[in-house]
Protein backbone atom coordinates (compact mmCIF):
# COMPACT_ATOMS: atom_id res chain seq x y z
CA UNK A 1 0.00 0.00 0.00
CA UNK A 2 3.03 2.27 0.48
CA UNK A 3 3.35 5.36 -1.70
CA UNK A 4 6.63 7.26 -1.54
CA UNK A 5 6.33 10.91 -2.52
CA UNK A 6 9.88 11.92 -1.67
CA UNK A 7 10.85 11.90 -5.36
CA UNK A 8 8.57 14.90 -5.93
CA UNK A 9 9.59 16.45 -2.58
CA UNK A 10 6.08 17.29 -1.53
CA UNK A 11 5.89 20.32 0.74
CA UNK A 12 3.01 20.41 3.21
CA UNK A 13 1.55 23.14 5.40
CA UNK A 14 -0.49 21.79 8.30
CA UNK A 15 -2.71 24.13 10.32
CA UNK A 16 -3.43 22.62 13.73
CA UNK A 17 -1.51 20.04 15.72
CA UNK A 18 -4.08 18.49 18.01
CA UNK A 19 -5.04 14.83 17.77
CA UNK A 20 -6.27 15.15 14.16
CA UNK A 21 -3.29 17.25 13.10
CA UNK A 22 -0.90 14.66 14.51
CA UNK A 23 -2.72 11.90 12.64
CA UNK A 24 -2.12 13.86 9.45
CA UNK A 25 1.54 14.37 10.35
CA UNK A 26 1.98 10.61 10.88
CA UNK A 27 0.24 9.90 7.58
CA UNK A 28 2.40 12.42 5.72
CA UNK A 29 5.53 10.85 7.19
CA UNK A 30 4.36 7.42 5.99
CA UNK A 31 3.90 8.94 2.54
CA UNK A 32 7.53 10.04 2.56
CA UNK A 33 6.92 13.74 3.08
CA UNK A 34 9.92 15.26 4.88
CA UNK A 35 8.98 18.94 4.62
CA UNK A 36 6.01 19.53 6.91
CA UNK A 37 5.46 23.02 8.27
CA UNK A 38 2.97 23.33 11.12
CA UNK A 39 1.04 26.38 12.26
CA UNK A 40 -0.11 25.64 15.80
CA UNK A 41 -1.39 27.64 18.74
CA UNK A 42 0.63 25.38 21.03
CA UNK A 43 4.37 24.52 21.19
CA UNK A 44 5.55 21.12 19.99
CA UNK A 45 7.31 19.12 22.69
CA UNK A 46 9.94 17.29 20.67
CA UNK A 47 11.18 15.32 23.66
CA UNK A 48 7.80 13.62 24.02
CA UNK A 49 7.08 13.54 20.29
CA UNK A 50 10.29 12.31 18.63
CA UNK A 51 8.31 10.76 15.78
CA UNK A 52 7.60 14.23 14.40
CA UNK A 53 11.20 14.99 13.46
CA UNK A 54 10.14 16.24 10.00
CA UNK A 55 7.81 18.85 11.50
CA UNK A 56 8.82 22.53 11.65
CA UNK A 57 6.75 24.95 13.72
CA UNK A 58 6.12 28.19 11.78
CA UNK A 59 4.38 31.47 12.55
CA UNK A 60 1.32 32.01 10.36
CA UNK A 61 2.04 35.70 9.90
CA UNK A 62 5.66 35.07 8.83
CA UNK A 63 5.28 32.29 6.27
CA UNK A 64 7.31 33.13 3.18
CA UNK A 65 6.81 29.98 1.12
CA UNK A 66 3.89 30.13 -1.32
CA UNK A 67 4.41 26.86 -3.18
CA UNK A 68 3.10 24.17 -0.84
CA UNK A 69 1.77 21.09 -2.63
CA UNK A 70 -0.95 20.76 -0.01
CA UNK A 71 -2.39 22.91 2.77
CA UNK A 72 -4.29 20.92 5.42
CA UNK A 73 -6.68 22.76 7.72
CA UNK A 74 -7.02 20.70 10.93
CA UNK A 75 -7.79 23.42 13.46
CA UNK A 76 -10.95 23.55 15.59
CA UNK A 77 -14.16 23.58 13.60
CA UNK A 78 -15.10 27.23 14.12
CA UNK A 79 -11.68 28.29 12.76
CA UNK A 80 -11.69 26.17 9.58
CA UNK A 81 -12.89 28.83 7.15
CA UNK A 82 -10.87 31.71 8.63
CA UNK A 83 -7.74 29.55 8.47
CA UNK A 84 -8.65 28.55 4.93
CA UNK A 85 -8.97 32.20 3.92
CA UNK A 86 -5.62 33.06 5.54
CA UNK A 87 -3.66 30.15 4.08
CA UNK A 88 -5.36 29.11 0.83
CA UNK A 89 -3.02 31.14 -1.40
CA UNK A 90 0.01 29.25 -0.13
CA UNK A 91 -0.74 25.90 -1.79
CA UNK A 92 -2.20 24.52 -5.00
CA UNK A 93 -4.44 22.06 -3.13
CA UNK A 94 -6.31 22.49 0.16
CA UNK A 95 -7.79 19.76 2.37
CA UNK A 96 -10.12 20.92 5.16
CA UNK A 97 -11.03 18.67 8.09
CA UNK A 98 -14.69 17.84 8.59
CA UNK A 99 -17.09 19.48 9.07
CA UNK A 100 -16.20 22.36 6.76
CA UNK A 101 -17.73 24.82 9.26
CA UNK A 102 -19.93 24.92 12.35
CA UNK A 103 -23.04 25.90 10.36
CA UNK A 104 -24.20 27.13 6.96
CA UNK A 105 -24.32 30.77 8.04
CA UNK A 106 -20.54 30.70 8.54
CA UNK A 107 -20.06 29.43 4.98
CA UNK A 108 -21.84 32.31 3.25
CA UNK A 109 -18.95 34.76 3.50
CA UNK A 110 -16.52 32.32 1.89
CA UNK A 111 -18.43 30.87 -1.08
CA UNK A 112 -16.41 32.78 -3.68
CA UNK A 113 -12.98 31.73 -2.43
CA UNK A 114 -14.10 28.18 -1.62
CA UNK A 115 -15.04 27.82 -5.27
CA UNK A 116 -11.88 29.42 -6.64
CA UNK A 117 -9.35 26.58 -6.48
CA UNK A 118 -8.93 22.86 -5.79
CA UNK A 119 -10.34 22.38 -2.30
CA UNK A 120 -11.42 19.11 -0.68
CA UNK A 121 -13.05 18.26 2.63
CA UNK A 122 -12.03 15.20 4.63
CA UNK A 123 -14.26 12.16 4.03
CA UNK A 124 -12.11 9.09 4.77
CA UNK A 125 -15.04 6.64 4.80
CA UNK A 126 -15.06 7.01 1.01
CA UNK A 127 -11.58 5.47 1.10
CA UNK A 128 -12.58 2.28 2.88
CA UNK A 129 -11.81 -0.60 0.53
CA UNK A 130 -15.40 -1.74 -0.03
CA UNK A 131 -16.87 1.72 -0.65
CA UNK A 132 -16.13 1.74 -4.38
CA UNK A 133 -18.09 -1.49 -4.79
CA UNK A 134 -21.27 -0.05 -3.26
CA UNK A 135 -22.81 1.80 -6.25
CA UNK A 136 -22.86 -1.35 -8.40
CA UNK A 137 -24.23 -3.43 -5.53
CA UNK A 138 -26.92 -0.85 -4.77
CA UNK A 139 -28.00 -0.76 -8.42
CA UNK A 140 -28.40 -4.55 -8.34
CA UNK A 141 -31.16 -4.27 -5.73
CA UNK A 142 -33.62 -2.52 -8.04
CA UNK A 143 -36.07 -0.30 -6.19
CA UNK A 144 -34.77 0.68 -2.76
CA UNK A 145 -36.99 0.56 0.32
CA UNK A 146 -34.92 1.23 3.43
CA UNK A 147 -31.38 2.47 4.12
CA UNK A 148 -30.13 2.22 7.70
CA UNK A 149 -26.84 3.80 8.76
CA UNK A 150 -25.43 3.41 12.26
CA UNK A 151 -22.37 4.68 14.07
CA UNK A 152 -21.90 4.06 17.79
CA UNK A 153 -18.79 4.65 19.88
CA UNK A 154 -17.61 5.92 23.26
CA UNK A 155 -16.46 9.48 22.68
CA UNK A 156 -14.43 9.82 25.93
CA UNK A 157 -12.05 7.21 24.44
CA UNK A 158 -11.42 9.26 21.28
CA UNK A 159 -8.75 11.39 22.92
CA UNK A 160 -7.53 9.39 25.95
CA UNK A 161 -5.00 12.04 27.00
CA UNK A 162 -7.58 14.85 27.07
CA UNK A 163 -10.51 15.69 29.34
CA UNK A 164 -13.41 14.79 27.04
CA UNK A 165 -15.47 17.66 28.47
CA UNK A 166 -12.78 20.22 27.66
CA UNK A 167 -12.42 20.82 23.93
CA UNK A 168 -14.13 22.26 20.86
CA UNK A 169 -16.11 19.01 20.52
CA UNK A 170 -17.89 19.92 23.79
CA UNK A 171 -18.70 23.46 22.62
CA UNK A 172 -22.41 23.81 21.66
CA UNK A 173 -21.38 26.26 18.95
CA UNK A 174 -19.18 23.80 17.07
CA UNK A 175 -19.41 20.31 18.62
CA UNK A 176 -22.00 17.58 18.92
CA UNK A 177 -22.55 14.17 17.40
CA UNK A 178 -24.27 15.52 14.27
CA UNK A 179 -21.19 17.54 13.40
CA UNK A 180 -18.54 15.11 14.65
CA UNK A 181 -20.05 12.12 12.83
CA UNK A 182 -20.93 14.03 9.67
CA UNK A 183 -19.12 11.27 7.70
CA UNK A 184 -22.23 9.14 8.26
CA UNK A 185 -24.24 11.86 6.54
CA UNK A 186 -21.71 12.46 3.76
CA UNK A 187 -21.58 8.98 2.29
CA UNK A 188 -25.36 8.30 2.18
CA UNK A 189 -25.76 11.62 0.36
CA UNK A 190 -23.08 10.56 -2.13
CA UNK A 191 -24.79 7.20 -2.68
CA UNK A 192 -28.50 8.11 -2.57
CA UNK A 193 -28.81 11.83 -3.32
CA UNK A 194 -30.05 14.92 -1.52
CA UNK A 195 -33.34 15.06 0.40
CA UNK A 196 -35.74 17.99 0.45
CA UNK A 197 -36.52 17.72 4.19
CA UNK A 198 -35.40 15.83 7.30
CA UNK A 199 -36.65 14.76 10.72
CA UNK A 200 -34.32 14.53 13.68
CA UNK A 201 -34.33 13.79 17.42
CA UNK A 202 -31.31 14.67 19.55
CA UNK A 203 -30.29 13.58 23.04
CA UNK A 204 -27.69 15.20 25.29
CA UNK A 205 -25.49 12.89 27.37
CA UNK A 206 -26.93 10.58 29.99
CA UNK A 207 -27.94 10.92 33.64
CA UNK A 208 -24.53 9.65 34.72
CA UNK A 209 -22.61 11.42 31.93
CA UNK A 210 -24.01 14.95 31.39
CA UNK A 211 -22.71 16.69 28.29
CA UNK A 212 -23.46 20.15 26.83
CA UNK A 213 -23.82 19.02 23.20
CA UNK A 214 -25.88 16.40 21.38
CA UNK A 215 -24.46 12.91 21.95
CA UNK A 216 -27.17 10.88 20.21
CA UNK A 217 -29.08 11.61 16.99
CA UNK A 218 -31.79 9.83 15.04
CA UNK A 219 -31.99 11.45 11.63
CA UNK A 220 -34.25 10.36 8.78
CA UNK A 221 -35.45 11.46 5.36
CA UNK A 222 -37.04 10.15 2.18
CA UNK A 223 -34.96 10.00 -1.00
CA UNK A 224 -36.19 11.29 -4.36
CA UNK A 225 -37.04 7.68 -5.31
CA UNK A 226 -39.05 7.08 -2.14
CA UNK A 227 -36.53 5.13 -0.04
CA UNK A 228 -36.52 5.69 3.71
CA UNK A 229 -33.11 6.73 5.08
CA UNK A 230 -32.57 6.30 8.83
CA UNK A 231 -29.31 7.36 10.47
CA UNK A 232 -28.54 6.56 14.10
CA UNK A 233 -25.54 8.30 15.67
CA UNK A 234 -24.40 7.75 19.24
CA UNK A 235 -21.00 8.57 20.70
CA UNK A 236 -21.93 7.81 24.29
CA UNK A 237 -22.32 4.09 23.61
CA UNK A 238 -19.97 1.55 25.19
CA UNK A 239 -20.76 -0.80 22.29
CA UNK A 240 -19.04 0.16 19.04
CA UNK A 241 -20.73 -0.23 15.67
CA UNK A 242 -20.34 1.29 12.21
CA UNK A 243 -22.48 -0.15 9.45
CA UNK A 244 -25.00 0.39 6.65
CA UNK A 245 -27.86 -1.90 5.57
CA UNK A 246 -29.76 -1.34 2.31
CA UNK A 247 -33.02 -3.17 1.59
CA UNK A 248 -34.48 -3.32 -1.91
CA UNK A 249 -36.84 -5.30 -4.10
CA UNK A 250 -34.13 -7.81 -5.05
CA UNK A 251 -32.37 -8.30 -1.73
CA UNK A 252 -30.23 -6.68 0.93
CA UNK A 253 -26.73 -5.21 1.33
CA UNK A 254 -24.91 -5.10 4.65
CA UNK A 255 -21.65 -3.17 4.99
CA UNK A 256 -19.83 -3.57 8.31
CA UNK A 257 -17.10 -0.94 8.35
CA UNK A 258 -15.47 -2.12 11.57
CA UNK A 259 -14.99 -5.68 10.33
CA UNK A 260 -14.56 -4.72 6.69
CA UNK A 261 -17.28 -7.07 5.46
CA UNK A 262 -19.59 -6.33 2.52
CA UNK A 263 -22.35 -8.87 1.88
CA UNK A 264 -25.24 -8.98 -0.60
CA UNK A 265 -28.15 -11.39 -0.17
CA UNK A 266 -31.12 -12.11 -2.40
CA UNK A 267 -34.70 -12.21 -1.13
CA UNK A 268 -34.35 -15.86 -0.12
CA UNK A 269 -31.39 -15.04 2.12
CA UNK A 270 -28.83 -16.62 -0.21
CA UNK A 271 -25.50 -14.78 -0.26
CA UNK A 272 -24.82 -13.48 -3.78
CA UNK A 273 -21.64 -11.59 -2.93
CA UNK A 274 -19.33 -11.48 0.08
CA UNK A 275 -16.06 -9.64 0.51
CA UNK A 276 -13.94 -8.97 3.60
CA UNK A 277 -11.38 -6.18 3.35
CA UNK A 278 -10.83 -4.51 6.69
CA UNK A 279 -9.69 -0.91 6.56
CA UNK A 280 -8.07 0.81 9.51
CA UNK A 281 -8.89 4.52 9.94
CA UNK A 282 -5.19 5.30 9.46
CA UNK A 283 -5.21 3.40 6.13
CA UNK A 284 -8.24 5.39 4.94
CA UNK A 285 -6.58 8.67 5.90
CA UNK A 286 -3.44 7.55 4.04
CA UNK A 287 -5.42 6.87 0.87
CA UNK A 288 -7.27 10.15 1.19
CA UNK A 289 -4.13 12.28 1.48
CA UNK A 290 -2.30 10.40 -1.28
CA UNK A 291 -5.30 10.82 -3.63
CA UNK A 292 -4.95 14.59 -3.35
CA UNK A 293 -1.15 14.69 -3.54
CA UNK A 294 -0.84 12.29 -6.48
CA UNK A 295 -3.81 13.77 -8.38
CA UNK A 296 -4.14 10.44 -10.17
CA UNK A 297 -6.47 8.41 -7.98
CA UNK A 298 -9.92 7.22 -9.00
CA UNK A 299 -11.51 8.75 -5.90
CA UNK A 300 -11.09 12.11 -4.28
CA UNK A 301 -12.40 13.31 -0.93
CA UNK A 302 -15.65 15.21 -0.65
CA UNK A 303 -15.90 18.35 -2.75
CA UNK A 304 -16.70 21.66 -1.07
CA UNK A 305 -20.20 21.51 -2.51
CA UNK A 306 -20.77 18.04 -1.09
CA UNK A 307 -19.42 19.14 2.31
CA UNK A 308 -21.75 22.15 2.33
CA UNK A 309 -24.67 19.87 1.42
CA UNK A 310 -23.87 17.61 4.40
CA UNK A 311 -23.65 20.66 6.66
CA UNK A 312 -27.07 21.74 5.38
CA UNK A 313 -28.46 18.41 6.60
CA UNK A 314 -26.87 19.01 10.02
CA UNK A 315 -28.45 22.46 10.27
CA UNK A 316 -31.84 21.16 9.17
CA UNK A 317 -31.59 18.27 11.64
CA UNK A 318 -30.86 20.62 14.53
CA UNK A 319 -33.80 22.81 13.48
CA UNK A 320 -36.10 19.80 13.19
CA UNK A 321 -35.20 18.70 16.71
CA UNK A 322 -35.70 22.22 18.09
CA UNK A 323 -39.12 22.62 16.46
CA UNK A 324 -40.08 18.95 16.86
CA UNK A 325 -41.21 18.76 13.27
CA UNK A 326 -39.82 18.06 9.81
CA UNK A 327 -37.44 20.73 8.55
CA UNK A 328 -36.92 21.72 4.91
CA UNK A 329 -33.23 21.62 3.94
CA UNK A 330 -31.75 24.90 2.70
CA UNK A 331 -28.81 24.27 0.38
CA UNK A 332 -26.15 26.71 -0.79
CA UNK A 333 -25.27 26.28 -4.48
CA UNK A 334 -21.66 27.30 -5.11
CA UNK A 335 -22.21 27.50 -8.87
CA UNK A 336 -24.40 30.61 -8.44
Amino acid sequence: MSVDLTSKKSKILLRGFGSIGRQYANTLAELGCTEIDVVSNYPIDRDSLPEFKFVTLVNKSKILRVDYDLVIIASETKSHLKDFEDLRRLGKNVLIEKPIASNLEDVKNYTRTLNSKKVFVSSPLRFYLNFEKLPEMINSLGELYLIEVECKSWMPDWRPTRDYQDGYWADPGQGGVLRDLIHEIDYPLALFGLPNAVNCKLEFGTESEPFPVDTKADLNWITSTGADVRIHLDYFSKKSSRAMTVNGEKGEIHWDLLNGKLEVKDNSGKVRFSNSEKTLPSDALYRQVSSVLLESEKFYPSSVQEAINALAIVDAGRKADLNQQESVVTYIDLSH
Side-chain angles (χ1 to χ4, degrees), residues 96-108:
I96 305 175
E97 244 309 300
K98 60 81 184 171
I100 190 170
S102 297
N103 52 64
L104 274 186
E105 193 62 34
D106 291 348
V107 172
K108 292 179 180 178

Side-chain angles (χ1 to χ4, degrees), residues 141 143-148 227 245-249 251-253:
L141 295 186
E143 182 181 355
L144 302 181
Y145 302 143
L146 176 63
I147 297 110
E148 295 180 292
T245 301
V246 184
N247 287 283
E249 64 174 323
E252 176 184 283
I253 296 170

